[in-house]
């Protein structure tokens, strides 16, 4: 079974600075998908970014980018030019391409990000 | 607007009183699933469904039931709720695509359930 580990329960960053959230995972599959979800105080689950394991290029979405190291099974999220609205819980998630599991996402335990002035 | 709708959003109930949390999606998705979120544990899958009348257990199915009689609806049933089922529940859906597919999973807004 796959596991996802987020070793940083809480992180803090100053506004306009850059922060990196860590995520490691364990799998025996060669193809899979990795995601970062943001959960603000409203508790809504918002997809931030996703990465296909077969792509070597790191995904980027505006101020959000990932550092995907497949051999090391590492998938960190970098937030540049942090804004107050980035304050939230961030979850790293893994999904197998096996449709028999109906798209199950395996989540990490989350990292709570604080953004200070 | 594409959405997954859950009801109720907030509920306080008593131990043993059967309840149903409804989930409906308007995107004609084949796949639907339920997760629960608990502090320090992230989200864990309870049950999932690959299509009408096809359901299966996820990682934490004990104490829950589901049904999929229509493609758009996937209710979560707690026959005899207990305090350890106090949690935040999410319904999710996505379309089926053959082969390797990473299309987005859509989440509902969550349902807070407290069992006293």
């Amino acid at each position: 079974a796959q596991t996802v580990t987020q070793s940083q329960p809480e992180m803090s960053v100053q506004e306009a600075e850059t922060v990196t959230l860590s995520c490691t995972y364990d799998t025996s599959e060669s193809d899979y998908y990795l995601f970062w979800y943001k959960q603000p105080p409203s508790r809504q689950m918002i997809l931030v970014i996703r990465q296909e394991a077969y792509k070597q290029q790191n995904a980027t979405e505006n101020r959000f980018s990932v550092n995907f190291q497949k051999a090391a099974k590492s998938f960190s999220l970098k937030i540049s030019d942090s804004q107050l609205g980035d304050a939230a819980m961030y979850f790293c998630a893994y999904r197998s391409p096996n449709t028999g599991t109906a798209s199950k996402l395996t989540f990490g335990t989350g990292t709570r990000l604080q953004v200070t002035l | 607007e594409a959405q997954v709708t859950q009801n109720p959003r907030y509920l306080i109930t008593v131990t043993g009183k059967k309840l149903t949390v409804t989930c409906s999606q308007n995107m004609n998705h084949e796949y639907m699933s339920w997760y629960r979120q608990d502090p320090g544990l992230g989200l864990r899958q309870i049950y999932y469904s690959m299509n009408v009348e096809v359901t299966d257990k996820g990682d934490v199915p004990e104490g829950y039931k589901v049904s999929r009689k229509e493609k758009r609806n996937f209710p979560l049933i707690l026959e005899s709720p207990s305090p350890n089922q106090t949690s935040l529940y999410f319904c999710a859906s996505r379309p089926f695509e053959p082969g390797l597919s990473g299309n987005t999973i859509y989440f509902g807004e969550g349902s807070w359930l407290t069992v006293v």
Side-chain angles (χ1 to χ4, degrees), chain B residues 79-97:
Chain B
E79 293 270 2
S80 182
S82 62
N84 65 10
Q85 292 179 296
T86 293
S87 189
L88 174 60
Y89 292 85
F90 286 98
C91 182
S93 75
R94 84 162 178 92
F96 170 79
E97 279 185 13

Side-chain angles (χ1 to χ4, degrees), chain A residues 78-94:
Chain A
K78 185 171 83 170
I79 306 174
S80 304
D81 186 25
S82 296
Q83 300 174 359
L84 292 177
D86 295 333
M89 180 73 90
Y90 287 82
F91 290 101
C92 178
Y94 172 103

Side-chain angles (χ1 to χ4, degrees), chain A residues 1-2 6 31-33 35 37 39 41-47 50 52 54 89 91 94-110 112, chain B residues 9-10 31-33 35 37 40-45 48-50 56 58-59 88 90 94-110 112:
Chain A
Q2 294 81 22
Q6 293 179 250
D31 287 320
Y32 46 87
Y33 303 93
F35 304 85
Y37 281 89
Q39 189 180 54
S42 68
R43 297 299 185 132
Q44 187 180 2
M45 293 294 288
I46 301 168
L47 178 64
R50 80 174 196 189
E52 290 86 350
Y54 61 87
M89 180 73 90
F91 290 101
Y94 172 103
R95 180 162 85 75
S96 166
N98 181 354
T99 56
T101 58
S103 310
K104 173 183 145 180
L105 284 168
T106 299
F107 286 88
T109 53
R112 184 170 301 282
Chain B
R9 296 287 315 284
Y10 304 91
Y31 291 149
M32 297 186 75
S33 56
Y35 292 83
Q37 180 180 353
L41 296 177
L43 283 78
R44 294 174 293 167
Q45 191 184 58
Y48 65 90
S49 170
M50 295 174 68
D56 208 346
D59 295 325
L88 174 60
F90 286 98
R94 84 162 178 92
F96 170 79
E97 279 185 13
L100 203 62
S101 173
N103 48 17
T104 301
I105 293 175
Y106 292 78
F107 282 89
E109 293 184 311
W112 284 97

